[in-house]
Amino acid sequence: MYSSKLHSLILLSMSFIVLFSSCNKEYSSDNYTAYFGGEVTNPNNPYILFCKNSEVIDSVKIDKNNRFFIKFDSLSPGMYTFKNEPEYQYIYFDKNDSIMVRINAKDFDNSIIFCGRGDQKNNFLMEMYMKNEFDRNLLFDAFDFSIPKFTANIDSSYKAKEKFYNTKKNAIKWSDDFDKYAKALLDFHHYSKKEMYPMAHQMRTGEDITHKLPANYYDFRKEVDFNDSELSSFSPFVNYLSQMLNNVSTIHYHNHYTAVDLALRTNINKLNFADSLIKNKAVKNTVLNNIAFTYLLEDQNMVNNKIFLETYHKYSTDKSKKNEIVKIGNAIQMLKVGNNLPKVELVNPHNVLMSSNDIPKKKTVIFMWTENLSSHMIAAHKRILALKTKYPDYQFIGINLDKDQDLWKSKLVQINFPGITEYRCTNFEDLRAKWAVMKVHRTIILDQNGAIKNAFTNLFDVNFEKEL
């Protein structure tokens, strides 16, 4: 498999060899010219985005042959990401690197292989990433193990990958700056497993083993620089911080809290710990945003969201309009009971554009669906048909979140659920921003005047019918 992918990439590289040969002439000790190109089969969208710290610094259109190429007149050495949204992966550039990549967007991570000046360290990143993913898939059964058996299991895995890391480091002789990321990829996956174990073990077995952990179990935390700004956007580091905060924030709570109260208290506690533990603003804001987005994705309670966001805004110094959490918070405030739904553009199966304001003013249930979640698509429509029979005074509206009008129309014919009014949103990002839609299970109820009765509910909630 690996050799066939490499062969394909070498063939692709031949088509760029003349270009790269001329590129090499531009290398000198006093410039930072760099090149990035490749081929994307089955692209998710027509652009490759090149990013630094989550900010897009360049974009290039994929041509009719599924290829792309970018020349950087000056590119500082460091870690970047490239995206064919929604997928992304990391790429590290040293001075004057010229890197080719081949990607199959249908199997994004598994298909990536690099070639060219700077390829070895990036292929190492991908190999280590895939080793961690394989390890993660085997991890869940290990959470049932006793403390000694679990520790032996993850230590054995760590030592095998540490040997791989040391071998590649000695062979490639990469820079100290790159080594920070390489070592982080090795270490933080291991640390995350140790943070997850006490919680996962109790969840799976019912046994609370926190008081049985060895006194030195968390000694690795002493090695972590929680304020390392260079790692603030590197997912292994951010994921570790999330797992650590999950651990320290939840182990003190007991069963007398409801699930909703527990989620709110736990996540506010995470914000408190993050504020006291992390002093670097960039790192703190990244972690706070990660906590907030995860919480708001799960909790659809308006009152709880307001309480949570008050604490979030107390600690976050990221006030920019680009901040996703600020946008979500603003949208939530517009979705109060009694308000009208913010206007978004919809299209009907006859290709007629309309505004959400044109929806007839009567009792309404609005549900979301996407072809990408076929089980939810079918289950939601069946649930709506059952409700339609019981509540004939309501109109039931399905809003499709996909991009392709013709595919949506053909899907409507295929699933054939008559009696449900169907629309497709023309701009999901606009709908997401205005209606705070963060998951497809979101359902909105309007009253007889078309005003919001509950903008944060779930069609499959056991108490959903009480809302009607």
Side-chain angles (χ1 to χ4, degrees):
M1 177 67 175
Y2 185 89
S3 60
S4 65
K5 290 193 296 182
L6 181 59
H7 177 68
S8 298
L9 186 59
I10 290 172
L11 291 178
L12 172 67
S13 299
M14 293 296 290
S15 65
F16 286 90
I17 194 166
V18 175
L19 177 60
F20 274 157
S21 295
S22 63
C23 294
N24 288 336
K25 296 176 183 177
E26 298 187 27
Y27 293 150
S28 71
S29 61
D30 59 356
N31 74 39
Y32 287 84
T33 303
Y35 301 87
F36 180 43
E39 181 181 74
V40 187
T41 56
N42 304 303
N44 293 311
N45 68 65
Y47 287 91
I48 290 291
L49 304 181
F50 192 79
C51 309
K52 177 74 170 178
N53 295 329
S54 301
E55 293 289 326
V56 177
I57 61 175
D58 207 341
S59 66
V60 60
K61 188 173 177 61
I62 300 169
D63 69 20
K64 63 182 180 180
N65 297 314
N66 289 335
R67 295 174 182 176
F68 70 95
F69 185 79
I70 311 173
K71 174 188 174 183
F72 301 101
D73 292 328
S74 181
L75 187 70
S76 299
M79 184 66 78
Y80 297 84
T81 56
F82 61 93
K83 300 181 180 181
N84 185 235
E85 291 185 318
E87 302 287 354
Y88 80 96
Q89 196 48 263
Y90 291 98
I91 184 169
Y92 188 93
F93 274 82
D94 276 317
K95 184 180 179 182
N96 297 143
D97 276 350
S98 292
I99 301 174
M100 296 289 297
V101 63
R102 187 174 190 275
I103 310 162
N104 182 341
K106 286 189 175 180
D107 191 19
F108 197 86
D109 293 328
N110 282 305
S111 69
I112 291 175
I113 186 168
F114 298 95
C115 181
R117 184 196 293 261
D119 63 339
Q120 293 185 72
K121 57 184 177 291
N122 285 293
N123 282 323
F124 163 80
L125 289 178
M126 284 309 306
E127 288 182 71
M128 182 64 83
Y129 172 82
M130 296 310 300
K131 287 177 183 291
N132 286 345
E133 287 299 295
F134 179 78
D135 183 49
R136 199 187 318 276
N137 292 332
L138 301 177
L139 184 60
F140 294 100
D141 289 341
F143 288 141
D144 294 347
F145 295 167
S146 65
I147 296 170
K149 186 176 180 181
F150 175 79
T151 301
N153 177 279
I154 66 169
D155 284 351
S156 174
S157 173
Y158 179 83
K159 288 176 182 176
K161 284 184 286 186
E162 185 180 38
K163 181 178 179 181
F164 171 71
Y165 157 81
N166 285 325
T167 299
K168 291 294 186 179
K169 181 180 180 180
N170 291 333
I172 298 172
K173 302 186 186 307
W174 54 55
S175 67
D176 290 342
D177 185 71
F178 176 79
D179 191 56
K180 169 176 280 193
Y181 296 99
K183 193 69 162 59
L185 194 55
L186 171 69
D187 288 344
F188 286 114
H189 176 72
H190 181 67
Y191 297 163
S192 293
K193 291 192 286 186
K194 299 201 72 168
E195 297 286 0
M196 293 167 65
Y197 173 61
M199 298 177 293
H201 184 83
Q202 183 171 9
M203 186 179 297
R204 289 174 63 90
T205 69
E207 180 190 16
D208 184 355
I209 47 89
T210 54
H211 60 289
K212 298 179 182 179
L213 294 172
N216 65 348
Y217 183 81
Y218 293 113
D219 278 0
F220 63 90
R221 289 178 181 169
K222 300 173 185 176
E223 306 299 318
V224 178
D225 179 2
F226 295 104
N227 295 287
D228 192 331
S229 60
E230 291 182 7
L231 295 178
S232 64
S233 296
F234 193 48
S235 62
F237 177 68
V238 176
N239 290 341
Y240 165 72
L241 291 182
S242 297
Q243 295 300 339
M244 184 272 295
L245 290 169
N246 284 341
N247 193 358
V248 299
S249 301
T250 59
I251 60 177
H252 306 296
Y253 289 123
H254 301 289
N255 294 330
H256 60 272
Y257 293 111
T258 66
V260 173
D261 285 341
L262 181 60
L264 175 62
R265 290 172 180 269
T266 297
N267 281 277
I268 286 180
N269 206 21
K270 289 180 191 177
L271 297 177
N272 292 335
F273 272 109
D275 179 65
S276 62
L277 183 67
I278 304 169
K279 302 307 176 187
N280 181 280
K281 288 183 179 181
V283 179
K284 181 187 292 188
N285 285 334
T286 298
V287 173
L288 292 176
N289 288 346
N290 190 51
I291 295 168
F293 190 81
T294 302
Y295 174 70
L296 294 171
L297 187 67
E298 294 302 323
D299 193 343
Q300 301 295 291
N301 182 290
M302 172 72 88
V303 174
N304 283 0
N305 286 346
K306 185 174 184 296
I307 295 170
F308 174 84
L309 286 169
E310 285 174 354
T311 305
Y312 165 82
H313 287 301
K314 182 171 70 174
Y315 296 140
S316 174
T317 59
D318 183 1
K319 309 300 182 186
S320 72
K321 292 182 179 179
K322 293 181 180 180
N323 185 346
E324 191 72 17
I325 308 306
V326 172
K327 293 179 183 177
I328 293 169
N330 292 338
I332 287 171
Q333 293 305 307
M334 297 298 293
L335 298 170
K336 293 178 180 177
V337 174
N339 284 4
N340 292 322
L341 271 176
K343 182 175 70 173
V344 299
E345 186 180 76
L346 305 173
V347 61
N348 70 18
H350 303 292
N351 302 328
V352 176
L353 292 176
M354 59 173 289
S355 162
S356 57
N357 289 351
D358 297 329
I359 293 173
K361 300 294 188 289
K362 61 181 293 187
K363 292 180 180 180
T364 305
V365 170
I366 298 174
F367 69 102
M368 320 287 171
W369 64 277
T370 171
E371 183 184 2
N372 296 325
L373 292 174
S374 57
S375 59
H376 171 265
M377 172 183 68
I378 300 298
H381 281 82
K382 287 182 176 179
R383 173 77 167 136
I384 289 294
L385 287 183
L387 291 170
K388 186 175 176 61
T389 301
K390 294 177 69 174
Y391 303 94
D393 54 332
Y394 272 85
Q395 63 178 340
F396 294 87
I397 296 175
I399 296 184
N400 177 262
L401 306 179
D402 300 324
K403 292 183 177 180
D404 193 297
Q405 177 79 355
D406 291 334
L407 286 178
W408 168 60
K409 288 163 61 176
S410 65
K411 181 57 65 174
L412 288 178
V413 173
Q414 180 183 338
I415 61 178
N416 189 28
F417 285 100
I420 301 173
T421 303
E422 300 277 4
Y423 300 111
R424 185 182 65 83
C425 71
T426 61
N427 185 337
F428 172 68
E429 289 304 319
D430 184 57
L431 179 140
R432 180 173 177 261
K434 291 178 178 177
W435 290 7
V437 173
M438 290 165 282
K439 59 180 181 179
V440 73
H441 300 86
R442 172 78 168 282
T443 306
I444 298 171
I445 302 175
L446 307 180
D447 66 17
Q448 65 274 13
N449 299 313
I452 294 170
K453 185 176 181 182
N454 189 341
F456 296 92
T457 186
N458 187 330
L459 192 62
F460 298 100
D461 190 291
V462 294
N463 295 315
F464 179 76
E465 289 192 52
K466 293 180 181 179
E467 303 271 5
L468 305 182

